[in-house]
């Protein structure tokens, strides 16, 4: 196989082009990636802080047992309010009777029927 000058120049140009591509790839790879890695690292740190805040919020929320106790307490309060309502109705009836007696006494005293 003979290598003439034209083929050698073309082959040399091809090898030089490949070498330039490989050099550019390795030289520019670290420059762009450092900035991208810094941005990515910052975003991951922000996500980590958000996840920690979310965990703290979830941990502070009441559990199933707490909600059940609250439901039971609310039903107790509801029963007590019903009992108070019944008692207040009875008190209202007593006050109506007292008001009727008082009205009758006032009418009697104002009519002048003092015997």
């Amino acid at each position: 196989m003979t290598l003439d000058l034209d083929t050698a120049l073309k082959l040399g140009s091809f090898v030089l082009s490949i070498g330039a591509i490989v050099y550019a790839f390795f030289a520019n790879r670290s420059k762009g990636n450092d900035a991208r890695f810094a941005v990515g690292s910052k975003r991951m740190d922000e996500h980590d802080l958000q996840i920690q805040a979310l965990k703290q919020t979830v941990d502070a929320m009441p559990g199933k047992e707490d909600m059940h106790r609250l439901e039971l307490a609310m039903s107790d309060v509801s029963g007590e309010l019903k009992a108070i309502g019944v008692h207040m109705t009875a008190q209202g009836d007593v006050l109506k009777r007292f008001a009727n007696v008082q009205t009758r006494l006032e009418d009697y005293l104002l009519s002048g029927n003092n015997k």
Side-chain angles (χ1 to χ4, degrees), residues 105 107-115:
L105 283 173
D107 289 343
Y108 175 77
L109 291 175
L110 289 176
S111 66
N113 293 332
N114 293 338
K115 294 183 182 181

Side-chain angles (χ1 to χ4, degrees), residues 29-88:
R29 182 179 63 149
S30 63
K31 292 178 187 176
N33 286 341
D34 289 342
R36 285 180 38 205
F37 284 139
V39 170
S41 177
K42 183 179 177 183
R43 287 179 59 200
M44 287 190 333
D45 290 341
E46 290 172 0
H47 284 278
D48 188 42
L49 290 175
Q50 289 174 350
I51 289 171
Q52 287 177 2
L54 184 61
K55 282 182 181 178
Q56 288 177 350
T57 302
V58 169
D59 289 341
M61 291 176 67
K64 184 173 82 171
E65 295 83 17
D66 297 330
M67 294 304 288
H68 184 64
R69 282 195 308 255
L70 183 62
E71 183 180 3
L72 291 176
M74 291 297 290
S75 67
D76 290 344
V77 168
S78 176
E80 290 175 13
L81 284 175
K82 286 180 184 177
I84 290 172
V86 169
H87 182 70
M88 293 300 291

Side-chain angles (χ1 to χ4, degrees), residues 86-98:
V86 169
H87 182 70
M88 293 300 291
T89 303
Q91 291 295 324
D93 292 342
V94 169
L95 285 176
K96 283 180 188 176
R97 284 188 295 234
F98 280 137

